[in-house]
Amino acid sequence: MMFFDQDIVRVRAGMRVDRGGNTVPDWSPDAVSRLAITEVSIQPTTATETATPDRTAVVTGWHVQSQPGTDLDIRAVDRVEWDGMLLEVDGEIARWTDPVEGGVHHVELDLVRATG
């Protein structure tokens, strides 16, 4: 059984114009917007790793799924705050269509630790 009892915060970059006149993401604290996203399921992703006695395996990715009937305001370029970590969306957002009702049935995405 899947439980939807966890919350995340979606962090979206603002936009700014760089010295070359290009519009680029602005991740500065004053430029980002945050949105609380509630009632999702977050599970560690499965990774195959050879462990040795002097090395401890660690979780490096998580899978997020929304409840049935719930779309999420999240994009592949967003970041996520969860459990004291800053995470990046890994790949595209999967929005599954409801075959009976139409529209979004649920959303799935993968997260990895932010690099930088």
Side-chain angles (χ1 to χ4, degrees), residues 9-46:
V9 176
R10 186 265 292 144
V11 182
R12 183 166 290 157
M15 301 305 286
R16 66 178 177 81
V17 177
D18 68 9
R19 288 186 282 178
N22 303 302
T23 302
V24 296
D26 184 352
W27 289 103
S28 65
D30 292 336
V32 299
S33 65
R34 287 181 164 73
L35 174 69
I37 296 175
T38 61
E39 300 178 338
V40 296
S41 174
I42 304 172
Q43 303 299 321
T45 55
T46 304

Side-chain angles (χ1 to χ4, degrees), residues 7-15 25-37 72-90 93 109 111-112 114 116:
D7 302 332
I8 60 177
V9 176
R10 186 265 292 144
V11 182
R12 183 166 290 157
M15 301 305 286
D26 184 352
W27 289 103
S28 65
D30 292 336
V32 299
S33 65
R34 287 181 164 73
L35 174 69
I37 296 175
L72 303 178
D73 180 8
I74 194 160
R75 302 175 190 156
V77 295
D78 291 332
R79 294 179 181 169
V80 170
E81 294 171 338
W82 176 70
D83 197 28
M85 295 178 285
L86 181 62
L87 307 167
E88 294 177 340
V89 176
D90 186 26
I93 308 296
L109 60 127
L111 301 172
V112 294

Side-chain angles (χ1 to χ4, degrees), residues 1 4 38 54 56 58 71 77 89 91 103 111:
M1 175 179 254
F4 300 97
T38 61
D54 59 337
T56 303
V58 295
D71 195 358
V77 295
V89 176
L111 301 172

